[in-house]
Amino acid sequence: MSEGLRRSIATVCLSGTLDDKLTAAAAAGFEGIELFENDLVVAPWSAKEIRTRCADLGLSIDLYQPFRDFEAVPPERLRANLARAEQKFAVMADLGADTILVCSSVSGEAVDDDDLAAEQLAALAERAAAHGMRIAYEALAWGRHVSTWDHSWRIVERAGHPALGLCLDSFHVLSREVDPAGIAAITPGKVFFVQLADAPYLRMDVLQWSRHHRLFPGQGSFDLAGFVRLALAAGYDGPLSLEVFNDVFRQSDPARTAVDAMRSLIALEHRLAPVGRRLPGAPSLARHAFTEFGVDGHSGPQLREALRGLGFAHTGQHRTKPVELWEQQNCKIVLNSAVTRPQAAGTATISAFAIASEDPQRSLHRAEALLAPAHPNVRGPGETELAAIIAPDGTSVFVTRPDDGWRADFLPTGEATEPGAGLIGTDHLGLAQPFDNFDEAGLFYHSVLDLDHLADEEYAAPFGLMRSRNVANADRSVRLALTVALLRRGEWAPAVADPQHVAFTTADIVATAEAMTALGATMLPVPDNYYADLAARFALPESTVATLSRHGILYDRDTRGGELLHLYTPVFGGRVFFEIVERRGGYDRFGEANAPVRMAAQRHRRLTDQ
Amino acid sequence: MSEGLRRSIATVCLSGTLDDKLTAAAAAGFEGIELFENDLVVAPWSAKEIRTRCADLGLSIDLYQPFRDFEAVPPERLRANLARAEQKFAVMADLGADTILVCSSVSGEAVDDDDLAAEQLAALAERAAAHGMRIAYEALAWGRHVSTWDHSWRIVERAGHPALGLCLDSFHVLSREVDPAGIAAITPGKVFFVQLADAPYLRMDVLQWSRHHRLFPGQGSFDLAGFVRLALAAGYDGPLSLEVFNDVFRQSDPARTAVDAMRSLIALEHRLAPVGRRLPGAPSLARHAFTEFGVDGHSGPQLREALRGLGFAHTGQHRTKPVELWEQQNCKIVLNSAVTRPQAAGTATISAFAIASEDPQRSLHRAEALLAPAHPNVRGPGETELAAIIAPDGTSVFVTRPDDGWRADFLPTGEATEPGAGLIGTDHLGLAQPFDNFDEAGLFYHSVLDLDHLADEEYAAPFGLMRSRNVANADRSVRLALTVALLRRGEWAPAVADPQHVAFTTADIVATAEAMTALGATMLPVPDNYYADLAARFALPESTVATLSRHGILYDRDTRGGELLHLYTPVFGGRVFFEIVERRGGYDRFGEANAPVRMAAQRHRRLTDQ
C-alpha cells in the first residue's frame, strides 16, 4: 500500500472506439481498465487480441461488466443464466480478466427471496471458481429487490462462497439514504472491487441521475475520501476504479478526459493520506497579482481607453517586449501585444493571470504532480523568472511571489497613479469555459490551486441557460467565476461567445462611479425597468434606488443580509469587460441574478453601436 | 370562432432580447404575446414603449406573468403582497395588458386553507377590477398546497369574484394524474387563459421536466387537441397561447423557433375542426420515388462505384442537366452534379428526395398552409413540373405523381437493369438533423406529410448519446429515420458529422448479399465479437449465426418476434452510406440496437483507409 492502490478506469468513461479509449487511458497513466461488454462487442479485435493490446499498453483488465439479471429466478431461468455465464467466462479467459460484475436484478422474473438469491449466486461463484474467476455482486440503486449495499452484503454473507464478494460503487452507495459507515465492518477480503464516481446532488430519477450526471471525484458533491476510507477499513486493497457515466465525457476528446480522470484520482489519494500517495501541500495564496490581456492594433486602443476611464495609469513598459503595465493601487493589468497563443484578430483575450503564492515553487510542483501542463518560461537576461501552468482553456496561470518582484521587468513611465477612481484590488476574474472542459476546469483550480468549490448557480440568460461554478481560497483573496452555457452554443449566439472579465474592488462604489464619470468612463446603461423591479423585490428606500439608478449600479442581497453593489462596462475588444464591486456584510456570491441584465444591455449596446 | 382562436406565444419560448423575440413572433404571424417579467426587466424600453412596439408589430400583450406566492398567507404578508400587486397593475396599465397570471404558491409561508386562499384571491381580484384588470389563477404542478387544476377551480369558485378566473396550462394539467375531463364542466367564462405546451413523458422531477423539456404541440406525447376541446367546451374563446420552456429553443434562432411554434398551432387547430381553421387534407403517399445526391468530381465516382456494387444500372441521363438516373426495380437514385445548395467540397449529400403522392398539388397546398418554404421550380422546356418543399435541414422534398412521369426528363442510356441484386424499393431514408432543428424536423414531417411519429429511441453510441425519431405513413411505404446527437457535437467528433443514408428493401437478404459479393460490392465488415454476443442474446441456431456472420448481416428482433436482417456499406463521399434491409414478421423499427456497431465499424474502416 506504500505505493498506493492501483488506478483503473472503466471504458464507459471515455469517448470513442475501444482503440481510442485504451490509448487515452494508457497515456494518462492508468494501470488497469474495466471493460464494458459494448466496447468489446463493437471492437474489430478478438478477446485475445484485446488482451495483447492492453498488455502492450501496460493495462490490466481488472473487471469485465456487466452481467445482469442473474439471481433469485425460477430453476429453468437459472439454467439459462448459468449457460450465459459460461459464455462470458470463456470471453474473460481470453481477455485474462478474473472478475466479473453481477449487478442486482431489475428483472420482473426475480423474486424477493434472499435465500434463493444467495443460493444461486453461490452456484454462479462455484462455476466461476472452476475457471479461477470470481463474482463481484453490486446493488444497483434501482435494483428490483436489492438496491442498497447492506442488502447486497447480507446476501453475499449468506452465500458464504469464497469466489463471491461485493462490488461497491460509490454512486449506488451514496445516492441512497442507507448509512455507508457499516462498510468498514465488512469481512476483510469480501470487497472484491471499488468503483468511484462523484455526482452533484440532483432531484431526479436515480437511474437517469446515474446514467447521465456522474462526475470524476472532486467534481461533484459526494464524500469520496470518506467512502474509500470505509472500503480500506474493510481491508480492500484492489484498484480504485473510476466508473463515470457522463453525457459530456461520452463525446469529448478521450485523451483529455483520461487526464482529467487521473487528476481526480491523484487529488483523491492525497486526501486519503497516510494511505494514498501525497502531493506537495498547497501554499496559501495572497491575492490576484496581475491579469494579462493579449491585444492587437484594434483591441489595444479600446482597452487603453477603458482603463483610463476606470482610473488606471500606464505606469510601466516592459524592458524587452511590447508589453505595458497599467496600475491603480493593487489592481494590475498587463497589455501584451506579443502573445503567442492564437486569438481572433481584433479581439482582446485574457491570455494569462497571475496569483501571488507564499511558495511559488511548491505551487508549481503541486501542479506538475497533478498533471497540469507547464508553460515554458521565456525570459530575457535579467528578467524575473515567471513559470506558469496552463489551465484547461489554454490560459496561462502564473504563480508569483507576494513581493511583486516581477514589476522589476517594467521600466517606470513616470505616470502617476493618483488619484485613480478608488479601485483597491482584483475581486475576481470571470472566465467562460469551453463546453467540454467545464468540469475539468473546476477540478483543475480546486486541486491545483486548492481553491474551494463554492455553490454552483444556474440561471436563464437571454441567449440560453447558464451555469456558473465559483472557486475561491479560504480568505477570499483569490476568486474565479467559471461559466458555461448549459447547452453548447450553436450558430445563433448573438451574445459574446466565451466572455471574460476582471472585477475590481472598491470600498465606496458611488464615489468610484462619480470618479469614473469625471474621467469619462464608458459604463453599461442599465434599464429603468430593472430599478422599478429592484425596488419591489428588495423594498429598498427610494433614495437608494435613485442613487443606484443614477450610476447604473446593480444590486443583490443574500439570505444573510450581505449585499453586493456592482457596475459593468460594455464589452471591449469583442470579448472582455470590466466590473466594479463593493461587497458589504460578507456577501460571498457573484451577483449572478444580475447577469441576464448585463447580457441584454451588452447586446443592446452592441446593436446600437453597429 | 369561425376565424379560429387568437394565436399567442410566451416570450419565454424564444431566445434573445425582447426586441429579438417580438420581431420573431410578429414575423411568424402571431397575434399576441405573454410577456414574462424577466423580459421586461432587462429591456431598455419603458412599459409604454413596449406597448407601442408591440402595437406597431400587430401584437397584443395578452398576459403578464408571473405573479408568485400570493395566496393563503398571514395578514401582514397579504398587505405586502397586495402592495406588490399594485406595482404590477401600474406596469400592466402602461403595457395595455389586462390579465395577470398568479400561480399557486410554493412559499413556506402559505397555509393549506382553501377558504383563506379564496378570500385573499378575491381581495386581489377586487383590486385588479378597480384597474379594469383580471386575475388568472393557475395550479403549478409543484404548488405547495394547490397543484391540480380541479383544486384551483374549487378555490376560484369559492372566491366567486368576476375578475378571478382560471389559467389552464396543458403541462400542469396533463403532467398530473387528475382526469382533465371535468374541465368541460367549468362555468362558462371562468377560464381566463389557456396555455399550451406539449412534452415527452419523462420519469423525472416534475419541476425540472416542466422547465427544461416542454415542446410545441405535436412534438411530444400529450393529447393537446383533447385538452383544447375541453377548454372550448367550457366556453373558452381567448387566445391559444404557447408557453414552452425548452433548453434548445432558449438558445436557437428565434425567427425559426417562432415559425416552428406557429406551425404547431396551425396543425393543432386543424385537429380541432370544426372549430379550428382547416388545412388541405393530407393526400396518401405511395412510396419513396427517388433520392437525389449532390455529388462532385471526388464524391461522384465513389457513389457510382458503390451503386454498381449494389446492383444498380445507370439507366438515364437528364435532357438538359448533368444529372444521372440509376435504377434497380423500384429503387431510384439521382446523382446531381449541379446542385445549387452549398455542400462541402468532395462530399456527397442527400440534396433532395421525392415522395409519390396521390395528389401532389394538394400536398403542396398543405405544406404552404403549414409555412413550409417552397422550392422554386426550375425546369427546362418540355420538362416535368417538380415543385418541392424545403425541409428544416435544407433538403428539398419533391412531391411527385405515382406514375413517375418525372422519368421522362431522362433520356434512356440503354443500360439493362437486370439482373441487379434483388433490391425492390426504398425502405427508409436516414437523415441526421441539425441539433437546433430536431424537434422542428419531426413536427415538419408529421404535419406537412402527415407521417406518424413512431417511438423515439435513445442509445449510447461510441461518440456520444444518440436519439432517433422515426416517422412513417400508415402502410409504412414511406419511412424517415431522423437522428441527432443528444448533446451538440463539439470539436472531437471523429464519427461522420450528420451522416445520411438510403435503406433499400430486399425479400431475401442472403441472396442479395451473395449477388453483391459477386458484383464486387464494398460492404462493412462486422466484428466476430458481435456474432458471439448475438448468439448469446437471441439464442439463434449456430448455422443462422454463421450465415449472418459470413455476409456481415446484422440482426434485431422485436418483442413480438418480428425480425430485421440488415447490411451496411462503408461511408462514401465523406458522409453517406447505404443499408439493405429485410423485414420479417412485421418488424417496425430501424435496428437502432446495431447502430453503435455500424458507427464503430465505419470509424475503424476510415482509420484503416487512411
mmCIF file of all heavy atoms in Angstrom, chain B residues 401-421:
data_model
loop_
_atom_site.group_PDB
_atom_site.id
_atom_site.type_symbol
_atom_site.label_atom_id
_atom_site.label_comp_id
_atom_site.label_asym_id
_atom_site.label_seq_id
_atom_site.Cartn_x
_atom_site.Cartn_y
_atom_site.Cartn_z
ATOM 1 N N ARG B 401 -46.058 12.584 -58.798
ATOM 2 C CA ARG B 401 -47.230 11.740 -59.060
ATOM 3 C C ARG B 401 -46.813 10.275 -59.006
ATOM 4 O O ARG B 401 -45.665 9.938 -59.318
ATOM 5 C CB ARG B 401 -47.805 12.073 -60.435
ATOM 6 C CG ARG B 401 -48.484 13.447 -60.499
ATOM 7 C CD ARG B 401 -49.391 13.552 -61.739
ATOM 8 N NE ARG B 401 -48.699 13.112 -62.954
ATOM 9 C CZ ARG B 401 -47.943 13.916 -63.720
ATOM 10 N NH1 ARG B 401 -47.805 15.195 -63.424
ATOM 11 N NH2 ARG B 401 -47.347 13.439 -64.784
ATOM 12 N N PRO B 402 -47.745 9.385 -58.669
ATOM 13 C CA PRO B 402 -47.384 7.967 -58.559
ATOM 14 C C PRO B 402 -46.925 7.350 -59.872
ATOM 15 O O PRO B 402 -46.290 6.303 -59.870
ATOM 16 C CB PRO B 402 -48.675 7.308 -58.059
ATOM 17 C CG PRO B 402 -49.497 8.409 -57.480
ATOM 18 C CD PRO B 402 -49.132 9.643 -58.242
ATOM 19 N N ASP B 403 -47.248 7.998 -61.033
ATOM 20 C CA ASP B 403 -46.878 7.377 -62.321
ATOM 21 C C ASP B 403 -45.421 7.613 -62.695
ATOM 22 O O ASP B 403 -44.991 7.202 -63.778
ATOM 23 C CB ASP B 403 -47.804 7.892 -63.423
ATOM 24 C CG ASP B 403 -47.582 9.390 -63.692
ATOM 25 O OD1 ASP B 403 -46.682 9.999 -63.065
ATOM 26 O OD2 ASP B 403 -48.313 9.952 -64.527
ATOM 27 N N ASP B 404 -44.649 8.259 -61.840
ATOM 28 C CA ASP B 404 -43.232 8.515 -62.116
ATOM 29 C C ASP B 404 -43.011 9.229 -63.451
ATOM 30 O O ASP B 404 -42.033 8.959 -64.158
ATOM 31 C CB ASP B 404 -42.412 7.207 -62.093
ATOM 32 C CG ASP B 404 -42.077 6.776 -60.673
ATOM 33 O OD1 ASP B 404 -42.257 7.592 -59.731
ATOM 34 O OD2 ASP B 404 -41.639 5.632 -60.492
ATOM 35 N N GLY B 405 -43.927 10.153 -63.765
ATOM 36 C CA GLY B 405 -43.797 10.919 -65.005
ATOM 37 C C GLY B 405 -42.473 11.671 -65.113
ATOM 38 O O GLY B 405 -41.987 11.932 -66.214
ATOM 39 N N TRP B 406 -41.862 11.984 -63.965
ATOM 40 C CA TRP B 406 -40.580 12.720 -63.963
ATOM 41 C C TRP B 406 -39.476 11.976 -64.709
ATOM 42 O O TRP B 406 -38.498 12.561 -65.145
ATOM 43 C CB TRP B 406 -40.133 13.004 -62.520
ATOM 44 C CG TRP B 406 -40.020 11.756 -61.684
ATOM 45 C CD1 TRP B 406 -41.001 11.170 -60.950
ATOM 46 C CD2 TRP B 406 -38.867 10.918 -61.542
ATOM 47 N NE1 TRP B 406 -40.549 10.030 -60.348
ATOM 48 C CE2 TRP B 406 -39.233 9.849 -60.694
ATOM 49 C CE3 TRP B 406 -37.558 10.960 -62.046
ATOM 50 C CZ2 TRP B 406 -38.354 8.831 -60.338
ATOM 51 C CZ3 TRP B 406 -36.673 9.955 -61.687
ATOM 52 C CH2 TRP B 406 -37.071 8.896 -60.839
ATOM 53 N N ARG B 407 -39.666 10.628 -64.890
ATOM 54 C CA ARG B 407 -38.622 9.859 -65.576
ATOM 55 C C ARG B 407 -38.473 10.280 -67.038
ATOM 56 O O ARG B 407 -37.423 10.052 -67.648
ATOM 57 C CB ARG B 407 -38.893 8.364 -65.468
ATOM 58 C CG ARG B 407 -38.725 7.833 -64.045
ATOM 59 C CD ARG B 407 -38.961 6.329 -63.942
ATOM 60 N NE ARG B 407 -37.916 5.545 -64.592
ATOM 61 C CZ ARG B 407 -38.050 4.836 -65.707
ATOM 62 N NH1 ARG B 407 -39.232 4.812 -66.317
ATOM 63 N NH2 ARG B 407 -37.048 4.165 -66.211
ATOM 64 N N ALA B 408 -39.534 10.933 -67.573
ATOM 65 C CA ALA B 408 -39.473 11.387 -68.973
ATOM 66 C C ALA B 408 -38.403 12.462 -69.179
ATOM 67 O O ALA B 408 -37.983 12.720 -70.305
ATOM 68 C CB ALA B 408 -40.843 11.905 -69.411
ATOM 69 N N ASP B 409 -37.950 13.090 -68.078
ATOM 70 C CA ASP B 409 -36.905 14.112 -68.217
ATOM 71 C C ASP B 409 -35.538 13.484 -68.490
ATOM 72 O O ASP B 409 -34.574 14.193 -68.776
ATOM 73 C CB ASP B 409 -36.797 14.947 -66.935
ATOM 74 C CG ASP B 409 -38.045 15.784 -66.701
ATOM 75 O OD1 ASP B 409 -38.890 15.829 -67.622
ATOM 76 O OD2 ASP B 409 -38.166 16.377 -65.621
ATOM 77 N N PHE B 410 -35.475 12.171 -68.356
ATOM 78 C CA PHE B 410 -34.191 11.482 -68.564
ATOM 79 C C PHE B 410 -34.225 10.704 -69.895
ATOM 80 O O PHE B 410 -35.195 10.013 -70.200
ATOM 81 C CB PHE B 410 -33.914 10.503 -67.422
ATOM 82 C CG PHE B 410 -33.636 11.199 -66.119
ATOM 83 C CD1 PHE B 410 -34.684 11.591 -65.288
ATOM 84 C CD2 PHE B 410 -32.331 11.484 -65.732
ATOM 85 C CE1 PHE B 410 -34.440 12.250 -64.090
ATOM 86 C CE2 PHE B 410 -32.077 12.134 -64.532
ATOM 87 C CZ PHE B 410 -33.132 12.512 -63.703
ATOM 88 N N LEU B 411 -33.159 10.838 -70.659
ATOM 89 C CA LEU B 411 -33.020 10.051 -71.880
ATOM 90 C C LEU B 411 -32.436 8.695 -71.511
ATOM 91 O O LEU B 411 -31.441 8.627 -70.777
ATOM 92 C CB LEU B 411 -32.074 10.757 -72.855
ATOM 93 C CG LEU B 411 -32.579 12.092 -73.400
ATOM 94 C CD1 LEU B 411 -31.460 12.805 -74.164
ATOM 95 C CD2 LEU B 411 -33.795 11.839 -74.306
ATOM 96 N N PRO B 412 -33.036 7.598 -72.003
ATOM 97 C CA PRO B 412 -32.511 6.264 -71.649
ATOM 98 C C PRO B 412 -31.089 6.083 -72.164
ATOM 99 O O PRO B 412 -30.756 6.503 -73.273
ATOM 100 C CB PRO B 412 -33.468 5.290 -72.370
ATOM 101 C CG PRO B 412 -34.644 6.102 -72.780
ATOM 102 C CD PRO B 412 -34.195 7.519 -72.913
ATOM 103 N N THR B 413 -30.250 5.471 -71.332
ATOM 104 C CA THR B 413 -28.881 5.154 -71.765
ATOM 105 C C THR B 413 -28.843 3.809 -72.457
ATOM 106 O O THR B 413 -27.867 3.462 -73.110
ATOM 107 C CB THR B 413 -27.939 5.068 -70.554
ATOM 108 O OG1 THR B 413 -28.398 3.996 -69.716
ATOM 109 C CG2 THR B 413 -27.914 6.360 -69.766
ATOM 110 N N GLY B 414 -29.903 3.005 -72.254
ATOM 111 C CA GLY B 414 -29.925 1.669 -72.838
ATOM 112 C C GLY B 414 -29.349 0.608 -71.918
ATOM 113 O O GLY B 414 -29.411 -0.584 -72.217
ATOM 114 N N GLU B 415 -28.791 1.053 -70.762
ATOM 115 C CA GLU B 415 -28.229 0.055 -69.834
ATOM 116 C C GLU B 415 -29.346 -0.798 -69.240
ATOM 117 O O GLU B 415 -30.391 -0.277 -68.855
ATOM 118 C CB GLU B 415 -27.499 0.775 -68.686
ATOM 119 C CG GLU B 415 -26.010 0.552 -68.712
ATOM 120 C CD GLU B 415 -25.324 1.111 -67.486
ATOM 121 O OE1 GLU B 415 -25.698 0.729 -66.355
ATOM 122 O OE2 GLU B 415 -24.411 1.948 -67.646
ATOM 123 N N ALA B 416 -29.104 -2.114 -69.136
ATOM 124 C CA ALA B 416 -30.110 -3.028 -68.590
ATOM 125 C C ALA B 416 -30.093 -3.010 -67.076
ATOM 126 O O ALA B 416 -29.035 -2.870 -66.469
ATOM 127 C CB ALA B 416 -29.835 -4.448 -69.082
ATOM 128 N N THR B 417 -31.263 -3.104 -66.466
ATOM 129 C CA THR B 417 -31.322 -3.124 -65.001
ATOM 130 C C THR B 417 -31.275 -4.549 -64.461
ATOM 131 O O THR B 417 -31.212 -4.747 -63.262
ATOM 132 C CB THR B 417 -32.608 -2.451 -64.489
ATOM 133 O OG1 THR B 417 -33.725 -3.165 -65.041
ATOM 134 C CG2 THR B 417 -32.667 -1.004 -64.894
ATOM 135 N N GLU B 418 -31.321 -5.526 -65.333
ATOM 136 C CA GLU B 418 -31.235 -6.922 -64.880
ATOM 137 C C GLU B 418 -29.782 -7.363 -64.884
ATOM 138 O O GLU B 418 -29.010 -6.870 -65.721
ATOM 139 C CB GLU B 418 -32.090 -7.818 -65.788
ATOM 140 C CG GLU B 418 -33.585 -7.566 -65.707
ATOM 141 C CD GLU B 418 -34.162 -7.686 -64.310
ATOM 142 O OE1 GLU B 418 -33.707 -8.589 -63.576
ATOM 143 O OE2 GLU B 418 -35.036 -6.876 -63.954
ATOM 144 N N PRO B 419 -29.340 -8.301 -64.034
ATOM 145 C CA PRO B 419 -30.189 -8.948 -63.039
ATOM 146 C C PRO B 419 -30.286 -8.171 -61.727
ATOM 147 O O PRO B 419 -31.134 -8.482 -60.913
ATOM 148 C CB PRO B 419 -29.445 -10.272 -62.801
ATOM 149 C CG PRO B 419 -28.001 -9.937 -63.020
ATOM 150 C CD PRO B 419 -27.971 -8.859 -64.063
ATOM 151 N N GLY B 420 -29.452 -7.159 -61.448
ATOM 152 C CA GLY B 420 -29.497 -6.454 -60.165
ATOM 153 C C GLY B 420 -29.068 -7.350 -59.024
ATOM 154 O O GLY B 420 -28.385 -8.374 -59.247
ATOM 155 N N ALA B 421 -29.491 -6.962 -57.841
ATOM 156 C CA ALA B 421 -29.096 -7.746 -56.658
ATOM 157 C C ALA B 421 -30.300 -8.002 -55.768
ATOM 158 O O ALA B 421 -30.158 -8.269 -54.583
ATOM 159 C CB ALA B 421 -28.003 -7.018 -55.885
#
